[in-house]
Amino acid sequence: MRLKGAEVLVQVLIEQGVDCIFGYPGGAVLDIYDALYKAQDRIRHVTTCHEQGATHAADGYARVTGRPGVVIATSGPGATNLVTGIANAYLDSVPLVAITGNVARALIGRDSFQEVDITGITMPITKHNYMVKDVDRLADTVRAAFRLAASGRPGPVLIDIPKDMQTSLTEYVPAAPVTKTNNSSVDAASLDAALALIASSERPYIYSGGGVVISDASAELLALADRLDCPIGTSMMGLSAVPYDNPHFLGMSGMHGGYAASKALSMADLIIAIGTRFSDRATGNKQAYQTGRKILHIDIDAAEIDKNIVSSESVVGDVKQVLRRLLDAGVQRKPSDWAEQVHKVKSSAESRPEMPNDRLNPRSAIEAVNARLRPDDVVATDVGQHQLWTAQYYHFRRPRTFVTSGGLGTMGYGFGAAIGACFGRGKKRTVLFTSDGSFHMNMNEMATAVSHDLPVLVVVLNNRVLGMVRQWQTLFYENRFSNTSLARRTNYAALADAFGAKGYRVESLEALNNALDEALGLDGPALIDVCIDCDDKVLPMIPPGGTIEDIILKG
Amino acid sequence: MEERFTLSILVSNEAGVLTRVSSLFGRRGYNIDSLSVGETENPTYSRMTILSRGDVATRDQIIKQLQKLVDVKSVALMPPDNTVLRELMLVKVNAELPTRAQIQQIVDVFRAKIVDLSPSSLTIEITGEKSKLDAFIANIVPYGILELCRTGVTAIGRNSNILTGKEDKEI
Ligand SMILES: Cc1ncc(C[n+]2csc(CCOP(=O)(O)OP(=O)(O)O)c2C)c(N)n1
Ligand SMILES: [Mg+2]
């Protein structure tokens, strides 16, 4: 079948099983949009308000489905507007295929209208990128991009398609959807070494990261914890892999992790780190983290081994496969009273949340939402205190239900991501926790949510400040609140109404409960402006580079 | 402890590959002391030789990070005692009549070659290991070096050690 490049692109998207993409039209992608118009019965295109929102939407879609998200933008400013979203996906290992148009090849390198070198710009934040220079190779390039985005450690891949490549004719030969390649071979010697290391441990602690969510290894993880009768702490990215009520679960560890998780970690003689890269936010003082205990590191990316933390033993491979192999090999630890020790920590006074929940505050607000959502409803966040409170107080029960920007910490991520996640879940209930700072960054996407009648509830934990920065200013800069008190006069509820959504403002727990009952019954988007104190803090906190000895438990 | 080491990298012979490799070194703060690149016996590959410095952990990270690049088909750490290392240098040196004979002598000792001359200068070509080139420079400096350029080191394994590219690696 002879088709134009743009049509081939759309055919390959369909062939690869893509049913929903996000983007924004423009001059350099007119032909692609024309092809999408003709294929609109088979592929849904969601036009966001800004390309950044579209990338975050593709990212959110990918996180909840596990399949690559697709985003399309025009050349120049359209392409540069993708950059934050691509970097965000890169740092959180999210499979993304970003497609940009570019000026025709004859115009490249001449600073033509809306020409930017997007492959150059995105080189450090993609797994790989391509510029299509031969229309006969377009289809295979797109297929390669899908395979690469989803394989191994997932991540974003960008394809830049000059305008003349979109209009040239080529032969389209349909192909089957690509399958991902997943470091299937696990080295037997390293598995034996891992088994021996665990067998010599009395107090193992499982530190579980986003890789466990990505490889759908939740069941294997829980089986390992049962087998070893040992605690699990997670990174923020790893949260949803462990149901909150699992008896082994201690919550998140790290800078804003729970006391129990950090304390148990400090008592362990072995950390079994699974699908994680030991980010500085998660480890704190690296020296203290590694001293006095062994480290077993399991990850699909060989380059993560010994990058931030030097391991005693390591196994490179898909974590689900590795965990299965360990379980099949009868992994065991040394008998000890470890479970009782951990239980003591878990029930200690220090482990209880410092924040009360009998009046309106971040904790009670999140708990009120939590009480009303089903286990597989998706919760997204922006970045700041509200994000950490959500990580601490929301009860995640199913993998892939927590959509948050971990590695890049992108304020403004949440709205686009919630929209993408909502589409990924067939327009099911989705809640976004945000705050005034982040909300103002990309609130424009409220219009997208309204256009598509998405059941996205936005809960603005409104402290009227850049709370997370203010918290640091309080603790480390002697209350010099430089530029973090926003003095916005936005009427959030009226704003939501103006966008065509439904807005509420609440100042008491009772009012919040009522608003939630109403808003969660709506089919379309809604927003609740929740008034909270500007000095509520995310606690506990281990200051940067600190250890459990430095933990701040009370405000 | 910081050590020098030589990496030989087979990459696909495509536009932008040099940038991908060098920008990886740049953004992760790895050193490049010398870099050379050229075609190989297989026209779909180029081979890069990079001289770098760092402790063993850094060295291992560099190799693993390089292996994550799609265009990198294989990476080898070249053992100093089992590798032929060569670099080519061109030097233009001041050579008025009275000093020409002396320079000629140095050229002979180093098995270098005079490849061009003018009434006031000589252009010398020399190949060898980095240390030989450095020694040659030290000897020629007194005459006045007008211009000097080096290609960077290239390396090949001794005996039957052959670097082959992997097309189906998993990333
Ligand atoms: C795009 C971006 N700019 C700046 C920051 C730095 N930053 C981190 S948290 C934060 C404050 C967030 O304020 P808000 O969204 O109101 O959340 P809160 O902490 O009040 O819950 C800032 C400015 C960031 N993470 N991302
Ligand atoms: Mg705020």
Side-chain angles (χ1 to χ4, degrees), chain A residues 475-476 538-543 550-555:
Chain A
L475 295 173
F476 311 121
V538 184
L539 294 171
M541 176 174 192
I542 299 178
D550 311 307
I551 196 163
I552 305 169
L553 292 169
K554 298 231 172 300

mmCIF file of all heavy atoms in Angstrom, chain A residues 475-476 538-543 550-555:
data_model
loop_
_atom_site.group_PDB
_atom_site.id
_atom_site.type_symbol
_atom_site.label_atom_id
_atom_site.label_comp_id
_atom_site.label_asym_id
_atom_site.label_seq_id
_atom_site.Cartn_x
_atom_site.Cartn_y
_atom_site.Cartn_z
ATOM 1 N N LEU A 475 12.955 25.855 58.594
ATOM 2 C CA LEU A 475 13.888 24.986 59.304
ATOM 3 C C LEU A 475 15.349 25.385 59.119
ATOM 4 O O LEU A 475 16.154 25.221 60.021
ATOM 5 C CB LEU A 475 13.691 23.532 58.854
ATOM 6 C CG LEU A 475 12.335 22.897 59.193
ATOM 7 C CD1 LEU A 475 12.202 21.529 58.546
ATOM 8 C CD2 LEU A 475 12.150 22.788 60.704
ATOM 9 N N PHE A 476 15.679 25.878 57.956
ATOM 10 C CA PHE A 476 17.106 26.094 57.659
ATOM 11 C C PHE A 476 17.471 27.536 57.313
ATOM 12 O O PHE A 476 18.631 27.845 57.112
ATOM 13 C CB PHE A 476 17.551 25.177 56.506
ATOM 14 C CG PHE A 476 17.131 23.728 56.679
ATOM 15 C CD1 PHE A 476 16.335 23.108 55.734
ATOM 16 C CD2 PHE A 476 17.531 23.003 57.806
ATOM 17 C CE1 PHE A 476 15.936 21.783 55.902
ATOM 18 C CE2 PHE A 476 17.139 21.682 57.967
ATOM 19 C CZ PHE A 476 16.342 21.070 57.022
ATOM 20 N N VAL A 538 5.620 18.836 56.571
ATOM 21 C CA VAL A 538 5.753 17.427 56.237
ATOM 22 C C VAL A 538 6.754 16.833 57.209
ATOM 23 O O VAL A 538 7.940 17.161 57.182
ATOM 24 C CB VAL A 538 6.263 17.213 54.799
ATOM 25 C CG1 VAL A 538 6.297 15.727 54.484
ATOM 26 C CG2 VAL A 538 5.397 17.948 53.800
ATOM 27 N N LEU A 539 6.244 15.972 58.083
ATOM 28 C CA LEU A 539 7.094 15.329 59.083
ATOM 29 C C LEU A 539 6.777 13.846 59.113
ATOM 30 O O LEU A 539 5.649 13.468 58.807
ATOM 31 C CB LEU A 539 6.844 15.950 60.467
ATOM 32 C CG LEU A 539 7.263 17.418 60.594
ATOM 33 C CD1 LEU A 539 6.779 17.984 61.919
ATOM 34 C CD2 LEU A 539 8.762 17.574 60.455
ATOM 35 N N PRO A 540 7.685 12.997 59.480
ATOM 36 C CA PRO A 540 9.047 13.344 59.867
ATOM 37 C C PRO A 540 9.863 13.875 58.692
ATOM 38 O O PRO A 540 9.481 13.742 57.550
ATOM 39 C CB PRO A 540 9.638 12.016 60.346
ATOM 40 C CG PRO A 540 8.547 11.010 60.293
ATOM 41 C CD PRO A 540 7.433 11.575 59.506
ATOM 42 N N MET A 541 11.009 14.447 59.035
ATOM 43 C CA MET A 541 11.933 14.890 58.010
ATOM 44 C C MET A 541 13.345 14.564 58.462
ATOM 45 O O MET A 541 13.734 14.862 59.593
ATOM 46 C CB MET A 541 11.804 16.393 57.794
ATOM 47 C CG MET A 541 12.827 16.932 56.801
ATOM 48 S SD MET A 541 12.559 18.674 56.419
ATOM 49 C CE MET A 541 13.660 18.853 55.015
ATOM 50 N N ILE A 542 14.090 13.927 57.568
ATOM 51 C CA ILE A 542 15.524 13.758 57.800
ATOM 52 C C ILE A 542 16.206 14.778 56.903
ATOM 53 O O ILE A 542 16.074 14.715 55.679
ATOM 54 C CB ILE A 542 15.988 12.326 57.456
ATOM 55 C CG1 ILE A 542 15.259 11.308 58.350
ATOM 56 C CG2 ILE A 542 17.496 12.208 57.620
ATOM 57 C CD1 ILE A 542 15.608 9.860 58.057
ATOM 58 N N PRO A 543 16.884 15.769 57.482
ATOM 59 C CA PRO A 543 17.484 16.820 56.656
ATOM 60 C C PRO A 543 18.444 16.214 55.626
ATOM 61 O O PRO A 543 18.973 15.123 55.841
ATOM 62 C CB PRO A 543 18.242 17.683 57.671
ATOM 63 C CG PRO A 543 17.624 17.378 58.990
ATOM 64 C CD PRO A 543 17.157 15.965 58.911
ATOM 65 N N ASP A 550 19.144 12.225 62.985
ATOM 66 C CA ASP A 550 18.800 13.639 62.773
ATOM 67 C C ASP A 550 17.310 13.854 62.521
ATOM 68 O O ASP A 550 16.879 14.957 62.199
ATOM 69 C CB ASP A 550 19.562 14.185 61.554
ATOM 70 C CG ASP A 550 21.044 13.852 61.603
ATOM 71 O OD1 ASP A 550 21.653 14.176 62.633
ATOM 72 O OD2 ASP A 550 21.566 13.265 60.636
ATOM 73 N N ILE A 551 16.531 12.784 62.631
ATOM 74 C CA ILE A 551 15.126 12.867 62.202
ATOM 75 C C ILE A 551 14.360 13.912 63.028
ATOM 76 O O ILE A 551 14.516 14.013 64.240
ATOM 77 C CB ILE A 551 14.456 11.473 62.280
ATOM 78 C CG1 ILE A 551 13.148 11.451 61.484
ATOM 79 C CG2 ILE A 551 14.212 11.045 63.726
ATOM 80 C CD1 ILE A 551 12.640 10.043 61.164
ATOM 81 N N ILE A 552 13.590 14.725 62.315
ATOM 82 C CA ILE A 552 12.744 15.721 62.975
ATOM 83 C C ILE A 552 11.336 15.140 63.016
ATOM 84 O O ILE A 552 10.736 14.876 61.978
ATOM 85 C CB ILE A 552 12.731 17.050 62.195
ATOM 86 C CG1 ILE A 552 14.164 17.566 61.990
ATOM 87 C CG2 ILE A 552 11.879 18.099 62.906
ATOM 88 C CD1 ILE A 552 14.260 18.724 60.994
ATOM 89 N N LEU A 553 10.825 14.921 64.225
ATOM 90 C CA LEU A 553 9.520 14.269 64.344
ATOM 91 C C LEU A 553 8.402 15.262 64.618
ATOM 92 O O LEU A 553 7.263 15.041 64.248
ATOM 93 C CB LEU A 553 9.546 13.223 65.467
ATOM 94 C CG LEU A 553 10.411 11.984 65.211
ATOM 95 C CD1 LEU A 553 10.561 11.177 66.490
ATOM 96 C CD2 LEU A 553 9.814 11.132 64.111
ATOM 97 N N LYS A 554 8.742 16.373 65.302
ATOM 98 C CA LYS A 554 7.704 17.332 65.692
ATOM 99 C C LYS A 554 7.994 18.716 65.129
ATOM 100 O O LYS A 554 9.143 19.108 64.992
ATOM 101 C CB LYS A 554 7.644 17.436 67.228
ATOM 102 C CG LYS A 554 7.281 16.139 67.906
ATOM 103 C CD LYS A 554 6.134 16.348 68.901
ATOM 104 C CE LYS A 554 5.611 15.039 69.461
ATOM 105 N NZ LYS A 554 5.074 14.121 68.438
ATOM 106 N N GLY A 555 6.914 19.441 64.826
ATOM 107 C CA GLY A 555 7.069 20.761 64.220
ATOM 108 C C GLY A 555 7.382 21.847 65.211
ATOM 109 O O GLY A 555 7.285 21.682 66.391
#
